[in-house]
Amino acid sequence: MGTFTILLGGELIRTPRLERQIAGSRVIAADAGIGHARMLGLVPKLWVGDFDSVPANLPKDLAEVPRKVFPAEKDMTDGELAIAEALRRGATSLVLAGAFGGKRADHAFLHLALAVRLAEAGTTVLLTSGAQEGVPVLPGSAAFDYADGTLFSVLGFSELTGLTVTGAKWPLDRVEVAFGSSLTISNEVKGQLGIALERGRALLLAHPYPLPES
């Protein structure tokens, strides 16, 4: 039971915040995601995938991680297979590290949508690149620990009803947000960020560790 970190193939940087989020978790790598293990000083318990994008020159301890091999022609991505393995092992919370960016925009979108679906099923999910992170937003309310000035957006995966945002430069009070609207893009934290939603599904995307070029 507990938290599992899934190492995915997208971009990832090591930050103190990320280190805290993955501390004490069990780790499963999805194919090329094993490459992040060196940077993070981790040795996964399991390595899952079709192994068509294995990084070169892996150190011995990573090359010898137990593997669960799947055919290249399959109906699930390596990342989704790794998540399924974590859930089978009793995961109640997932950190999807490397969930953004990379070469495949379709995989990045899948991770966003999958996180919302997992949250609806009762699993706590955090998506992260180390620099930015995503948290599913479902009906109810939640508070977040981001510092003042942190850039954030609320990405709607449906029409949103009764969206309230407090502790922000541009607060909202029980507004209706059409699917595909840019109303909730590029806000800033100002105080204790809180989000409440009456109906719909969304994802909070925040940038707690902005890169120099941003």
Side-chain angles (χ1 to χ4, degrees), residues 49-71:
D50 55 24
F51 298 91
D52 63 351
S53 51
V54 175
N57 303 316
L58 285 176
K60 183 178 179 181
D61 59 344
L62 295 182
E64 293 180 349
V65 168
R67 303 186 184 195
K68 188 164 186 179
V69 182
F70 292 85

PDB file of all heavy atoms in Angstrom, residues 49-71:
ATOM      1  N   GLY A  49       7.632  -2.591 -19.940  1.00  0.00           N
ATOM      2  CA  GLY A  49       7.499  -2.030 -21.278  1.00  0.00           C
ATOM      3  C   GLY A  49       7.857  -3.006 -22.367  1.00  0.00           C
ATOM      4  O   GLY A  49       8.090  -4.201 -22.124  1.00  0.00           O
ATOM      5  N   ASP A  50       7.913  -2.479 -23.609  1.00  0.00           N
ATOM      6  CA  ASP A  50       8.339  -3.306 -24.736  1.00  0.00           C
ATOM      7  C   ASP A  50       9.833  -3.153 -25.000  1.00  0.00           C
ATOM      8  O   ASP A  50      10.382  -3.819 -25.877  1.00  0.00           O
ATOM      9  CB  ASP A  50       7.526  -2.978 -25.988  1.00  0.00           C
ATOM     10  CG  ASP A  50       7.561  -1.501 -26.356  1.00  0.00           C
ATOM     11  OD1 ASP A  50       8.517  -0.800 -25.969  1.00  0.00           O
ATOM     12  OD2 ASP A  50       6.629  -1.047 -27.033  1.00  0.00           O
ATOM     13  N   PHE A  51      10.474  -2.266 -24.277  1.00  0.00           N
ATOM     14  CA  PHE A  51      11.926  -2.075 -24.303  1.00  0.00           C
ATOM     15  C   PHE A  51      12.456  -1.715 -25.703  1.00  0.00           C
ATOM     16  O   PHE A  51      13.515  -2.163 -26.122  1.00  0.00           O
ATOM     17  CB  PHE A  51      12.641  -3.305 -23.716  1.00  0.00           C
ATOM     18  CG  PHE A  51      12.276  -3.524 -22.276  1.00  0.00           C
ATOM     19  CD1 PHE A  51      11.212  -4.339 -21.930  1.00  0.00           C
ATOM     20  CD2 PHE A  51      12.956  -2.868 -21.267  1.00  0.00           C
ATOM     21  CE1 PHE A  51      10.836  -4.505 -20.605  1.00  0.00           C
ATOM     22  CE2 PHE A  51      12.598  -3.026 -19.935  1.00  0.00           C
ATOM     23  CZ  PHE A  51      11.535  -3.838 -19.604  1.00  0.00           C
ATOM     24  N   ASP A  52      11.681  -0.841 -26.378  1.00  0.00           N
ATOM     25  CA  ASP A  52      12.122  -0.360 -27.684  1.00  0.00           C
ATOM     26  C   ASP A  52      12.888   0.958 -27.590  1.00  0.00           C
ATOM     27  O   ASP A  52      13.347   1.489 -28.593  1.00  0.00           O
ATOM     28  CB  ASP A  52      10.926  -0.194 -28.632  1.00  0.00           C
ATOM     29  CG  ASP A  52       9.931   0.853 -28.160  1.00  0.00           C
ATOM     30  OD1 ASP A  52      10.063   1.335 -27.013  1.00  0.00           O
ATOM     31  OD2 ASP A  52       9.016   1.194 -28.933  1.00  0.00           O
ATOM     32  N   SER A  53      13.014   1.501 -26.382  1.00  0.00           N
ATOM     33  CA  SER A  53      13.723   2.774 -26.214  1.00  0.00           C
ATOM     34  C   SER A  53      14.571   2.759 -24.944  1.00  0.00           C
ATOM     35  O   SER A  53      14.538   3.695 -24.144  1.00  0.00           O
ATOM     36  CB  SER A  53      12.730   3.939 -26.173  1.00  0.00           C
ATOM     37  OG  SER A  53      11.700   3.707 -25.229  1.00  0.00           O
ATOM     38  N   VAL A  54      15.320   1.687 -24.751  1.00  0.00           N
ATOM     39  CA  VAL A  54      16.164   1.541 -23.568  1.00  0.00           C
ATOM     40  C   VAL A  54      17.380   2.463 -23.683  1.00  0.00           C
ATOM     41  O   VAL A  54      18.077   2.449 -24.697  1.00  0.00           O
ATOM     42  CB  VAL A  54      16.633   0.076 -23.409  1.00  0.00           C
ATOM     43  CG1 VAL A  54      17.604  -0.053 -22.252  1.00  0.00           C
ATOM     44  CG2 VAL A  54      15.432  -0.833 -23.208  1.00  0.00           C
ATOM     45  N   PRO A  55      17.655   3.291 -22.673  1.00  0.00           N
ATOM     46  CA  PRO A  55      18.835   4.160 -22.719  1.00  0.00           C
ATOM     47  C   PRO A  55      20.121   3.344 -22.798  1.00  0.00           C
ATOM     48  O   PRO A  55      20.213   2.237 -22.261  1.00  0.00           O
ATOM     49  CB  PRO A  55      18.751   4.933 -21.398  1.00  0.00           C
ATOM     50  CG  PRO A  55      17.332   4.820 -20.959  1.00  0.00           C
ATOM     51  CD  PRO A  55      16.864   3.494 -21.447  1.00  0.00           C
ATOM     52  N   ALA A  56      21.112   3.900 -23.477  1.00  0.00           N
ATOM     53  CA  ALA A  56      22.403   3.221 -23.602  1.00  0.00           C
ATOM     54  C   ALA A  56      23.232   3.390 -22.333  1.00  0.00           C
ATOM     55  O   ALA A  56      23.046   4.335 -21.571  1.00  0.00           O
ATOM     56  CB  ALA A  56      23.169   3.786 -24.797  1.00  0.00           C
ATOM     57  N   ASN A  57      24.146   2.462 -22.119  1.00  0.00           N
ATOM     58  CA  ASN A  57      25.146   2.552 -21.045  1.00  0.00           C
ATOM     59  C   ASN A  57      24.531   2.687 -19.656  1.00  0.00           C
ATOM     60  O   ASN A  57      24.984   3.492 -18.840  1.00  0.00           O
ATOM     61  CB  ASN A  57      26.097   3.728 -21.305  1.00  0.00           C
ATOM     62  CG  ASN A  57      26.792   3.615 -22.651  1.00  0.00           C
ATOM     63  OD1 ASN A  57      27.250   2.540 -23.027  1.00  0.00           O
ATOM     64  ND2 ASN A  57      26.854   4.726 -23.367  1.00  0.00           N
ATOM     65  N   LEU A  58      23.510   1.898 -19.378  1.00  0.00           N
ATOM     66  CA  LEU A  58      22.946   1.901 -18.035  1.00  0.00           C
ATOM     67  C   LEU A  58      23.929   1.275 -17.054  1.00  0.00           C
ATOM     68  O   LEU A  58      24.575   0.276 -17.375  1.00  0.00           O
ATOM     69  CB  LEU A  58      21.637   1.113 -17.996  1.00  0.00           C
ATOM     70  CG  LEU A  58      20.395   1.759 -18.593  1.00  0.00           C
ATOM     71  CD1 LEU A  58      19.249   0.764 -18.540  1.00  0.00           C
ATOM     72  CD2 LEU A  58      20.027   3.043 -17.867  1.00  0.00           C
ATOM     73  N   PRO A  59      24.038   1.830 -15.833  1.00  0.00           N
ATOM     74  CA  PRO A  59      24.871   1.171 -14.835  1.00  0.00           C
ATOM     75  C   PRO A  59      24.292  -0.196 -14.486  1.00  0.00           C
ATOM     76  O   PRO A  59      23.105  -0.464 -14.693  1.00  0.00           O
ATOM     77  CB  PRO A  59      24.822   2.131 -13.644  1.00  0.00           C
ATOM     78  CG  PRO A  59      23.607   2.960 -13.857  1.00  0.00           C
ATOM     79  CD  PRO A  59      23.420   3.069 -15.332  1.00  0.00           C
ATOM     80  N   LYS A  60      25.136  -1.053 -13.936  1.00  0.00           N
ATOM     81  CA  LYS A  60      24.751  -2.438 -13.700  1.00  0.00           C
ATOM     82  C   LYS A  60      23.503  -2.569 -12.831  1.00  0.00           C
ATOM     83  O   LYS A  60      22.645  -3.408 -13.106  1.00  0.00           O
ATOM     84  CB  LYS A  60      25.918  -3.191 -13.050  1.00  0.00           C
ATOM     85  CG  LYS A  60      25.650  -4.672 -12.836  1.00  0.00           C
ATOM     86  CD  LYS A  60      26.864  -5.368 -12.223  1.00  0.00           C
ATOM     87  CE  LYS A  60      26.580  -6.843 -12.001  1.00  0.00           C
ATOM     88  NZ  LYS A  60      27.735  -7.544 -11.376  1.00  0.00           N
ATOM     89  N   ASP A  61      23.395  -1.738 -11.773  1.00  0.00           N
ATOM     90  CA  ASP A  61      22.258  -1.896 -10.873  1.00  0.00           C
ATOM     91  C   ASP A  61      20.930  -1.601 -11.576  1.00  0.00           C
ATOM     92  O   ASP A  61      19.909  -2.211 -11.257  1.00  0.00           O
ATOM     93  CB  ASP A  61      22.419  -1.031  -9.616  1.00  0.00           C
ATOM     94  CG  ASP A  61      22.557   0.447  -9.920  1.00  0.00           C
ATOM     95  OD1 ASP A  61      22.828   0.816 -11.081  1.00  0.00           O
ATOM     96  OD2 ASP A  61      22.401   1.256  -8.981  1.00  0.00           O
ATOM     97  N   LEU A  62      20.936  -0.687 -12.555  1.00  0.00           N
ATOM     98  CA  LEU A  62      19.710  -0.397 -13.301  1.00  0.00           C
ATOM     99  C   LEU A  62      19.473  -1.424 -14.406  1.00  0.00           C
ATOM    100  O   LEU A  62      18.327  -1.829 -14.647  1.00  0.00           O
ATOM    101  CB  LEU A  62      19.772   1.008 -13.890  1.00  0.00           C
ATOM    102  CG  LEU A  62      19.813   2.165 -12.875  1.00  0.00           C
ATOM    103  CD1 LEU A  62      19.811   3.506 -13.598  1.00  0.00           C
ATOM    104  CD2 LEU A  62      18.639   2.080 -11.902  1.00  0.00           C
ATOM    105  N   ALA A  63      20.517  -1.836 -15.079  1.00  0.00           N
ATOM    106  CA  ALA A  63      20.373  -2.840 -16.133  1.00  0.00           C
ATOM    107  C   ALA A  63      19.819  -4.149 -15.581  1.00  0.00           C
ATOM    108  O   ALA A  63      19.188  -4.926 -16.314  1.00  0.00           O
ATOM    109  CB  ALA A  63      21.714  -3.074 -16.816  1.00  0.00           C
ATOM    110  N   GLU A  64      20.034  -4.405 -14.299  1.00  0.00           N
ATOM    111  CA  GLU A  64      19.594  -5.663 -13.684  1.00  0.00           C
ATOM    112  C   GLU A  64      18.250  -5.554 -12.964  1.00  0.00           C
ATOM    113  O   GLU A  64      17.817  -6.501 -12.306  1.00  0.00           O
ATOM    114  CB  GLU A  64      20.662  -6.153 -12.708  1.00  0.00           C
ATOM    115  CG  GLU A  64      21.958  -6.560 -13.405  1.00  0.00           C
ATOM    116  CD  GLU A  64      23.030  -7.039 -12.433  1.00  0.00           C
ATOM    117  OE1 GLU A  64      22.840  -6.854 -11.205  1.00  0.00           O
ATOM    118  OE2 GLU A  64      24.033  -7.594 -12.902  1.00  0.00           O
ATOM    119  N   VAL A  65      17.572  -4.409 -13.091  1.00  0.00           N
ATOM    120  CA  VAL A  65      16.240  -4.284 -12.489  1.00  0.00           C
ATOM    121  C   VAL A  65      15.308  -5.333 -13.111  1.00  0.00           C
ATOM    122  O   VAL A  65      15.308  -5.524 -14.337  1.00  0.00           O
ATOM    123  CB  VAL A  65      15.678  -2.867 -12.729  1.00  0.00           C
ATOM    124  CG1 VAL A  65      14.192  -2.797 -12.368  1.00  0.00           C
ATOM    125  CG2 VAL A  65      16.458  -1.844 -11.916  1.00  0.00           C
ATOM    126  N   PRO A  66      14.532  -6.047 -12.306  1.00  0.00           N
ATOM    127  CA  PRO A  66      13.599  -7.045 -12.855  1.00  0.00           C
ATOM    128  C   PRO A  66      12.676  -6.429 -13.906  1.00  0.00           C
ATOM    129  O   PRO A  66      12.152  -5.330 -13.717  1.00  0.00           O
ATOM    130  CB  PRO A  66      12.809  -7.506 -11.620  1.00  0.00           C
ATOM    131  CG  PRO A  66      13.734  -7.247 -10.470  1.00  0.00           C
ATOM    132  CD  PRO A  66      14.482  -5.997 -10.826  1.00  0.00           C
ATOM    133  N   ARG A  67      12.495  -7.136 -15.014  1.00  0.00           N
ATOM    134  CA  ARG A  67      11.715  -6.625 -16.131  1.00  0.00           C
ATOM    135  C   ARG A  67      10.411  -7.407 -16.317  1.00  0.00           C
ATOM    136  O   ARG A  67      10.364  -8.607 -16.094  1.00  0.00           O
ATOM    137  CB  ARG A  67      12.512  -6.717 -17.436  1.00  0.00           C
ATOM    138  CG  ARG A  67      13.838  -5.988 -17.407  1.00  0.00           C
ATOM    139  CD  ARG A  67      14.497  -6.009 -18.773  1.00  0.00           C
ATOM    140  NE  ARG A  67      15.832  -5.388 -18.730  1.00  0.00           N
ATOM    141  CZ  ARG A  67      16.499  -5.014 -19.819  1.00  0.00           C
ATOM    142  NH1 ARG A  67      15.965  -5.182 -21.017  1.00  0.00           N
ATOM    143  NH2 ARG A  67      17.705  -4.452 -19.706  1.00  0.00           N
ATOM    144  N   LYS A  68       9.386  -6.686 -16.742  1.00  0.00           N
ATOM    145  CA  LYS A  68       8.157  -7.315 -17.212  1.00  0.00           C
ATOM    146  C   LYS A  68       7.987  -6.852 -18.649  1.00  0.00           C
ATOM    147  O   LYS A  68       7.708  -5.680 -18.898  1.00  0.00           O
ATOM    148  CB  LYS A  68       6.956  -6.930 -16.354  1.00  0.00           C
ATOM    149  CG  LYS A  68       5.705  -7.726 -16.703  1.00  0.00           C
ATOM    150  CD  LYS A  68       4.645  -7.622 -15.611  1.00  0.00           C
ATOM    151  CE  LYS A  68       3.482  -8.550 -15.921  1.00  0.00           C
ATOM    152  NZ  LYS A  68       2.441  -8.496 -14.852  1.00  0.00           N
ATOM    153  N   VAL A  69       8.207  -7.773 -19.586  1.00  0.00           N
ATOM    154  CA  VAL A  69       8.296  -7.431 -21.002  1.00  0.00           C
ATOM    155  C   VAL A  69       6.956  -7.651 -21.700  1.00  0.00           C
ATOM    156  O   VAL A  69       6.300  -8.680 -21.507  1.00  0.00           O
ATOM    157  CB  VAL A  69       9.391  -8.268 -21.696  1.00  0.00           C
ATOM    158  CG1 VAL A  69       9.522  -7.872 -23.155  1.00  0.00           C
ATOM    159  CG2 VAL A  69      10.725  -8.083 -20.964  1.00  0.00           C
ATOM    160  N   PHE A  70       6.573  -6.671 -22.533  1.00  0.00           N
ATOM    161  CA  PHE A  70       5.344  -6.740 -23.315  1.00  0.00           C
ATOM    162  C   PHE A  70       5.685  -6.606 -24.797  1.00  0.00           C
ATOM    163  O   PHE A  70       6.702  -5.999 -25.154  1.00  0.00           O
ATOM    164  CB  PHE A  70       4.389  -5.621 -22.897  1.00  0.00           C
ATOM    165  CG  PHE A  70       3.843  -5.767 -21.504  1.00  0.00           C
ATOM    166  CD1 PHE A  70       4.566  -5.284 -20.411  1.00  0.00           C
ATOM    167  CD2 PHE A  70       2.624  -6.377 -21.273  1.00  0.00           C
ATOM    168  CE1 PHE A  70       4.073  -5.417 -19.117  1.00  0.00           C
ATOM    169  CE2 PHE A  70       2.123  -6.510 -19.986  1.00  0.00           C
ATOM    170  CZ  PHE A  70       2.847  -6.035 -18.907  1.00  0.00           C
ATOM    171  N   PRO A  71       4.849  -7.127 -25.671  1.00  0.00           N
ATOM    172  CA  PRO A  71       5.111  -6.984 -27.114  1.00  0.00           C
ATOM    173  C   PRO A  71       4.975  -5.532 -27.559  1.00  0.00           C
ATOM    174  O   PRO A  71       4.255  -4.744 -26.933  1.00  0.00           O
ATOM    175  CB  PRO A  71       4.041  -7.876 -27.758  1.00  0.00           C
ATOM    176  CG  PRO A  71       2.945  -7.952 -26.746  1.00  0.00           C
ATOM    177  CD  PRO A  71       3.627  -7.906 -25.401  1.00  0.00           C
TER     178      PRO A  71
END
